[in-house]
């Protein structure tokens, strides 16, 4: 067949089809899965397949079902097929097919809900339901407010981390921000702060203690909380307890914490309050692990404060103001769609949450979801949404109330298939023994879980759609297109390596579009408030590169979120030789450009990878869990990387880089170029194991501040000789600056700092640069 149809394959598209594309078209198994990576010409394959079936007389047009996910894609395929073979064929969306099936069985088509095919309207509806439930159903309102106050983010346990750096990184990713608006340092502090806010108790977070506490080597004392009206202080101590050999309780700390030093600090704080007659309330990590932190806090505060709970609607308005409702509505909407599409029940989800040990957070979420879902279904009334439409159509096909004329079912973008759509396709195929499924997709680009897609369907393609032969089941054929017509080798192969770090992704080979003589992916570091300037420097470099012969150089700016948009008008004015566009990564799918610039590749809850998209709760409505961390976000990154033909530039925060950026830079096999290559690596922070990042003060001085500045607080001045480098300890030789080779005596107390001349009441002396954190000093003159 390949030889017989050679002329057709040479001319059906503007360029001859590749050997892999031709093979995928002539293969005619019960079920054929075509693995079409980014830029591999999947649209050419699916349109050529339909044209081939028609031209070869294998099927008449009315027996071919061509399915696309979007109306525009369906229209484009219909037009291309007719242009290639002169025969009309209608490509349909799943929505149009399901609606037609329902109409033929019922005699009329039920009214569609306004949000049935509009994601924005759907999310608006979910938000409206949440707000209305807060206003009308008190028990549900309490559950919703409790969610935002205490369960919004999954809380890892501090004791499970081996280093301060790991713990600080985990906390920073989740951006622990209270209902009052401040950022706190632990989940337990977040719970306490939000409980105080909920109960109308005005507080200050980490205020300076009202009495002067003069202790050499200590910073000013800042208790965790001070209650404004009563003056009561609250200190939360990160200790757990276990039973000792003598039967008494023993306090323990996280592995990276010096237990004796921490306990001494607790005693010092108690002594300070006792000496100055201030009231101290203590809370402990073990109270949270015993599920009684807030109850214990209420009991301890009872003699000192009167609770004045804020109205639930007021708290909800505050949550809306902070922008937390939108993200939660999106996650809740994803859950609604997958719940309906997969035919799940609340009881089964509850049981699964218990099996997966989701604890109080799982129960808190389902306590919201159940009334939200009931209200959602109530508002549908006699109308149907997309999930209803597909499931009702699938039922009619399964019951043979609808007789399928289709013998070849061709599905585009198969990685976006949902449980309901898969059920409909299986039902259509089951009506005819000779029916065929031809699916084209790329599991590496499965990034629409929020719209109901389920990647496990593609991974289990043979089991779900394959045929039977000679006592074998799940018989199917997989064809790997392999060749990309878009990206050069240093992008295409790096993207492949990156996405395959998740072993659950289907392995595919990649043949790049060309060979790049130089690194094609680079990281450019940004500092706070410097992103725009760094972007313009990058664009200046791209503008200086040779342009294509017949057009402007195209530059696609990508962001994980809409708010990353830098504004194109000024950029276009500044760089008229470039052609710009900005897209979120999700909306860029199918696009390409000469150069791609990825913006905002930073760590954080709304960073990249997003800490919202892969919420563990979504596994309750998925037949299989995706245990690999940031599984879907990794595929989003793959999509971003593979939009580029020639170069990819990633802009990332120097102090809080995306985990993906750190991973790409750590492995030389990716071949990335670091914008700081050739300069000294960032020095380590001796206090927590993070990195010290150079920052410039308002006075123009350079300081080296720990990347975890909110938690660690370690900071060292730049070298006093060159004012740019950082002196570091060189064993017993003292400190030496790598930039200017300046040499200094090491601090005899902390060892991390070095000694500089100072003057005191008794004359000149040498003091540690880390004062007041360190009180190390020595007499002037050569080291002893």
């Amino acid at each position: 067949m390949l030889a017989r149809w050679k002329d057709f394959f040479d001319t059906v598209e503007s360029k001859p089809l590749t050997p892999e594309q031709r093979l995928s078209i002539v293969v005619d198994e019960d079920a054929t899965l075509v693995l079409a990576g980014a830029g591999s010409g999947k649209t050419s394959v699916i349109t050529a397949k339909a044209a081939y079936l028609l031209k070869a007389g294998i099927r008449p047009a009315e027996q071919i079902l061509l399915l696309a996910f979007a109306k525009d894609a369906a229209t484009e395929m219909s037009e291309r097929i007719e242009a290639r073979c002169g025969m009309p064929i209608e490509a349909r969306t799943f929505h149009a097919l399901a609606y037609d099936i329902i109409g033929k069985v019922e005699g009329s088509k039920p009214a569609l809900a306004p949000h049935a095919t509009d994601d924005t309207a759907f999310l608006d509806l979910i938000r409206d339901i949440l707000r209305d439930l807060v206003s009308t159903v008190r028990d549900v309102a309490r559950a919703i407010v409790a969610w935002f106050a205490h369960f919004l983010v999954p809380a890892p346990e501090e004791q499970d981390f081996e280093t301060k750096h790991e713990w600080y990184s985990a906390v920073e990713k989740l951006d622990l921000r209270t209902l009052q608006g401040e950022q706190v340092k632990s989940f337990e502090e977040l719970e306490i702060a939000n409980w105080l806010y909920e109960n109308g108790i005005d507080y200050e977070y980490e205020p300076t203690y009202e009495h002067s506490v003069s202790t050499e080597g200590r910073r000013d004392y800042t208790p965790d909380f001070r209650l404004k009206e009563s003056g009561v202080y609250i200190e939360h101590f990160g200790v757990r307890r276990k039973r000792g050999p003598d039967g008494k309780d023993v306090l323990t700390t996280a592995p990276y914490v010096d237990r004796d030093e921490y306990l001494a600090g607790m005693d010092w704080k108690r002594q300070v309050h006792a000496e100055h007659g201030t009231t101290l309330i203590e809370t402990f990590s073990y109270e949270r692990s015993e599920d009684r932190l807030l109850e214990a806090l209420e009991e301890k505060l009872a003699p000192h404060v009167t609770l004045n709970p804020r109205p639930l609607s007021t708290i909800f308005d505050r949550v809306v103001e902070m922008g937390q409702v939108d993200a939660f509505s999106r996650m809740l909407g994803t859950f609604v769609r997958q719940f309906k599409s997969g035919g799940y029940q609340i009881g089964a989800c509850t049981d699964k949450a218990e099996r997966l040990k989701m604890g109080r957070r799982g129960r808190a979420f389902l306590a919201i979801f159940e009334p939200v879902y009931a209200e959602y279904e109530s508002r549908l009334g006699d109308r149907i949404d997309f999930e209803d439409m597909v499931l009702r159509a699938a039922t009619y096909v399964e019951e043979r109330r609808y007789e399928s004329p289709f013998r070849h079912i061709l599905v585009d973008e198969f990685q976006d298939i949902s449980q309901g759509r898969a059920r409909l396709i299986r039902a259509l195929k089951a009506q005819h023994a000779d029916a065929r499924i031809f699916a084209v997709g790329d599991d590496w680009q499965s990034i629409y879980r929020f719209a109901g897609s389920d990647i496990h369907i593609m991974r289990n393609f043979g089991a779900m759609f394959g045929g039977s032969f000679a006592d074998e089941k799940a018989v199917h054929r997989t064809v790997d297109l392999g060749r990309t017509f878009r990206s050069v080798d240093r992008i295409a192969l790096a993207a492949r390596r990156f996405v395959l770090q998740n072993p659950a992704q289907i392995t595919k080979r990649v043949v790049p579009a060309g060979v790049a003589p130089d690194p094609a992916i680079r990281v450019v570091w940004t500092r706070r408030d410097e992103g725009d300037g760094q972007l313009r420097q990058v664009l200046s470099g791209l503008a200086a590169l040779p342009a294509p012969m017949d057009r402007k150089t195209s530059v696609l700016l990508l962001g994980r979120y809409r708010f990353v948009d830098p504004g194109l008008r000024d950029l276009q004015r500044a760089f008229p030789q470039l052609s710009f566009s900005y897209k979120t990564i999700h909306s860029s799918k199918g696009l390409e450009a000469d150069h791609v610039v990825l913006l905002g590749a930073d760590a954080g809850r709304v960073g990249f990878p997003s800490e919202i998209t892969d919420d563990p709760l979504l596994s309750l409505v998925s037949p299989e869990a995706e245990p690999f961390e940031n599984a879907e976000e990794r595929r989003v990154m793959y999509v971003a990387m593979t939009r580029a033909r020639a170069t990819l530039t990633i802009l990332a925060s120097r102090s809080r880089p995306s985990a993906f950026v750190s991973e790409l830079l750590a492995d030389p096999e990716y071949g990335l170029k670091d914008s700081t290559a050739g300069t000294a690596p960032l020095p380590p922070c001796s206090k927590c194991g993070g990195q010290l990042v150079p920052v410039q003060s308002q006075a123009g001085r350079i300081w080296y501040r720990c990347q975890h500045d909110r938690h660690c607080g370690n900071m060292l001045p730049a070298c006093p000789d060159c004012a740019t480098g950082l002196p570091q300890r060189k064993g017993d030789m003292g400190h030496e600056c790598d930039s200017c080779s300046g040499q200094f005596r090491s601090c005899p107390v902390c060892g991390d700092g070095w000694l500089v001349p100072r003057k005191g009441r008794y004359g000149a002396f040498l003091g540690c640069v880390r004062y007041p954190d360190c009180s190390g000093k020595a007499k002037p003159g050569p080291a002893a």
Side-chain angles (χ1 to χ4, degrees):
M1 296 301 286
L2 289 171
R4 186 184 306 172
W5 287 87
K6 180 180 182 302
D7 290 344
F8 171 78
F9 293 140
D10 285 343
T11 58
V12 66
E13 289 287 305
S14 57
K15 294 180 180 179
L17 300 183
T18 67
E20 298 88 356
Q21 289 174 326
R22 297 171 192 231
L23 177 63
S24 70
I25 291 166
V26 299
V27 162
D28 200 32
E29 265 296 350
D30 280 10
T32 302
L33 176 63
V34 180
L35 302 175
S40 62
K42 70 172 183 61
T43 306
S44 295
V45 165
I46 200 164
T47 53
K49 175 74 173 184
Y52 167 74
L53 292 173
L54 291 169
K55 292 278 285 185
I58 297 173
R59 298 293 183 200
E62 61 272 16
Q63 292 185 4
I64 299 173
L65 174 61
L66 186 56
L67 287 171
F69 280 79
K71 188 174 182 180
D72 290 346
T75 301
E76 179 191 352
M77 283 193 285
S78 296
E79 293 172 349
R80 284 180 69 165
I81 293 167
E82 186 168 3
R84 301 301 185 265
C85 65
M87 301 180 187
I89 186 170
E90 180 188 5
R92 307 191 209 183
T93 63
F94 279 91
H95 156 241
L97 171 66
Y99 216 26
D100 284 347
I101 290 173
I102 293 171
K104 288 180 180 178
V105 173
E106 298 182 1
S108 63
K109 296 178 179 179
L112 280 178
H115 64 270
T117 56
D118 185 339
D119 286 341
T120 300
F122 175 68
L123 293 175
D124 286 344
L125 175 60
I126 297 296
R127 277 193 294 269
D128 288 345
I129 289 174
L130 283 172
R131 177 174 289 282
D132 290 349
L133 287 174
V134 167
S135 301
T136 59
V137 187
R138 187 164 183 80
D139 287 346
V140 179
R142 283 200 197 94
I144 293 172
V145 167
W147 172 263
F148 287 105
H150 307 294
F151 301 106
L152 185 63
V153 295
E157 298 286 349
E158 184 176 1
Q159 281 75 7
D160 293 338
F161 293 81
E162 293 297 325
T163 68
K164 289 182 180 179
H165 170 56
E166 292 171 352
W167 168 243
Y168 294 160
S169 297
V171 171
E172 287 168 352
K173 281 198 307 183
L174 297 175
D175 187 23
L176 303 179
R177 201 163 293 278
T178 71
L179 294 173
Q180 188 164 282
E182 63 266 308
Q183 193 176 43
V184 294
K185 296 177 180 177
S186 74
F187 297 93
E188 289 151 2
E189 287 186 347
L190 180 71
E191 282 204 78
I192 292 169
N194 286 344
W195 184 87
L196 294 172
Y197 183 88
E198 287 177 278
N199 286 287
I201 302 172
D202 290 338
Y203 69 88
E204 295 176 85
Y205 178 65
E206 292 193 333
T208 300
Y209 186 55
E210 62 191 273
H211 299 286
S212 176
V213 181
S214 179
T215 304
E216 196 169 294
R218 282 187 183 271
R219 289 180 176 270
D220 289 341
Y221 175 39
T222 54
D224 292 332
F225 300 94
R226 178 183 177 273
L227 309 188
K228 292 182 178 180
E229 186 174 340
S230 64
V232 168
Y233 289 94
I234 301 174
E235 281 284 10
H236 180 73
F237 295 125
V239 291
R240 289 193 174 183
R241 60 184 178 185
K242 65 179 181 180
R243 190 76 66 186
D246 59 358
K248 295 181 180 180
D249 285 340
V250 176
L251 296 180
T252 63
T253 58
Y256 55 80
V257 175
D258 184 316
R259 176 181 176 275
D260 292 339
E261 183 180 329
Y262 192 88
L263 295 180
M266 291 171 59
D267 289 338
W268 178 84
K269 292 174 182 178
R270 290 165 177 157
Q271 182 181 345
V272 165
H273 287 280
E275 288 177 355
H276 293 90
T278 48
T279 302
L280 174 65
I281 298 297
E282 301 177 14
T283 58
F284 306 92
S285 291
Y286 62 74
E287 291 173 325
R288 183 175 185 272
S289 64
E290 296 167 5
D291 277 345
R292 62 185 192 89
L293 173 63
L294 300 181
E295 292 81 355
L297 176 62
E298 183 173 0
E299 291 172 6
K300 294 169 187 176
L301 286 179
H304 308 285
V305 301
T306 300
L307 304 187
N308 183 26
R310 299 178 195 269
L312 296 172
S313 58
T314 300
I315 300 174
F316 186 77
D317 288 342
R318 175 61 182 153
V319 171
V320 171
E321 183 183 328
M322 295 175 66
Q324 294 179 343
V325 171
D326 287 351
F328 179 62
S329 297
R330 192 175 186 85
M331 195 269 277
L332 197 56
T334 301
F335 203 96
V336 167
R337 283 175 162 166
Q338 294 195 339
F339 183 86
K340 290 194 74 170
S341 180
Y344 290 91
Q345 301 295 322
I346 291 290
C349 289
T350 301
D351 293 342
K352 189 172 183 180
E354 293 300 319
R355 287 199 309 275
L356 296 178
K357 294 181 169 53
M358 290 183 171
R360 294 172 62 203
R361 188 169 187 263
R363 293 191 293 274
F365 175 77
L366 291 174
I368 297 171
F369 173 72
E370 187 169 8
V372 166
Y373 184 69
E375 179 63 19
Y376 173 79
E377 289 291 288
S378 174
R379 293 194 185 193
L380 277 178
D382 295 332
R383 294 177 178 266
I384 61 173
D385 60 14
F386 184 71
E387 285 69 35
D388 289 325
M389 186 191 311
V390 171
L391 293 175
R392 190 183 300 187
T395 300
Y396 290 154
V397 177
E398 289 167 347
E399 295 173 348
R400 291 191 174 269
R401 297 174 65 183
Y402 171 83
E403 293 296 327
S404 169
F406 307 118
R407 300 300 199 278
H408 262 85
I409 303 169
L410 283 57
V411 188
D412 190 22
E413 300 284 9
F414 192 74
Q415 74 277 352
D416 296 332
I417 200 80
S418 66
Q419 288 287 334
R421 293 184 180 104
R423 179 181 163 191
L424 175 58
I425 294 171
R426 291 178 69 186
L428 290 168
K429 181 177 182 291
Q431 284 203 6
H432 303 286
D434 62 343
R436 305 281 190 265
I437 299 289
F438 181 83
V440 182
D442 181 12
D443 70 304
W444 296 358
Q445 298 186 74
S446 177
I447 61 173
Y448 289 107
R449 183 162 67 176
F450 66 84
S453 67
D454 189 338
I455 191 172
H456 302 98
I457 298 170
M458 187 168 181
R459 290 177 181 165
N460 297 301
F461 179 80
M464 294 194 73
F465 301 100
S468 300
F469 180 77
D471 296 327
E472 292 289 333
K473 294 184 178 180
V475 177
H476 68 289
R477 177 70 178 267
T478 299
V479 181
D480 184 354
L481 295 186
R483 194 179 308 272
T484 175
F485 298 95
R486 180 182 301 155
S487 302
V488 294
D489 58 341
R490 295 197 182 211
I491 293 176
L493 298 180
R496 177 185 188 274
R497 180 179 180 83
F498 180 79
V499 78
L500 285 179
Q501 294 303 308
N502 180 355
Q505 302 291 164
I506 300 172
T507 301
K508 298 189 284 287
R509 69 189 186 98
V510 170
V511 180
V515 176
D518 302 308
I521 306 176
R522 69 169 176 150
V523 173
V524 173
W525 297 114
T526 63
R527 295 177 184 167
R528 195 173 297 170
D529 302 323
E530 292 182 359
D532 184 63
Q534 294 285 29
L535 173 59
R536 287 175 178 264
Q537 287 186 29
V538 168
L539 297 177
S540 294
L542 297 179
L545 297 175
M549 293 289 293
D550 56 344
R551 58 178 174 80
K552 291 182 178 181
T553 298
S554 59
V555 178
L556 175 60
L557 305 175
L558 290 180
R560 179 61 183 80
Y561 307 94
R562 289 189 181 91
F563 67 74
V564 181
D565 187 345
L568 298 183
R569 184 176 299 175
D570 290 344
L571 293 178
Q572 192 65 74
R573 213 167 16 237
F575 302 97
Q577 65 274 57
L578 302 176
S579 173
F580 288 102
S581 58
Y582 173 81
K583 298 285 184 182
T584 63
I585 301 173
H586 282 84
S587 62
S588 75
K589 202 158 168 291
L591 303 179
E592 59 185 78
D594 298 320
H595 308 286
V596 167
V597 181
L598 176 59
L599 309 173
D602 307 334
R605 184 161 170 77
V606 287
F608 185 31
S610 166
E611 298 297 327
I612 301 170
T613 299
D614 287 323
D615 195 298
L617 289 164
L618 292 172
S619 63
L620 298 180
V621 283
S622 178
E624 301 174 44
E626 276 207 273
F628 198 79
E629 185 178 15
N630 293 318
E632 177 145 325
E633 288 293 284
R634 183 171 291 270
R635 296 190 289 270
V636 175
M637 183 65 172
Y638 170 81
V639 169
M641 296 173 74
T642 53
R643 300 311 94 198
R645 297 190 194 103
T647 73
L648 166 67
T649 304
I650 304 172
L651 268 61
S653 165
R654 185 62 161 155
S655 60
R656 296 181 63 195
S658 159
F660 290 161
V661 171
S662 299
E663 178 182 333
L664 289 168
L665 285 171
D667 186 349
E669 290 294 321
Y670 287 116
L672 263 66
K673 181 180 180 182
D674 185 342
S675 63
T676 59
T679 63
L682 290 179
C685 172
S686 63
K687 291 182 67 176
C688 74
Q691 292 180 314
L692 296 175
V693 181
V695 295
Q696 192 169 28
S697 69
Q698 291 184 342
R701 293 183 61 194
I702 299 295
W703 290 78
Y704 282 80
R705 184 180 65 197
C706 180
Q707 68 182 94
H708 307 299
D709 58 318
R710 182 81 182 106
H711 298 84
C712 176
N714 191 19
M715 185 155 44
L716 290 165
C719 172
D721 289 351
C722 66
T724 56
L726 179 69
Q728 296 182 66
R729 183 146 192 172
K730 308 292 183 181
D732 295 333
M733 303 292 292
H735 274 63
E736 182 177 324
C737 177
D738 288 333
S739 296
C740 69
S741 299
Q743 295 186 345
F744 309 91
R745 288 171 61 178
S746 298
C747 173
V749 175
C750 70
D752 190 31
W754 61 95
L755 302 179
V756 294
R758 298 187 186 278
K759 286 186 178 181
R761 69 175 70 177
Y762 302 112
F765 69 98
L766 297 177
C768 181
V769 294
R770 295 186 63 244
Y771 181 84
D773 283 354
C774 176
S775 57
K777 61 182 68 172
K779 294 179 179 180

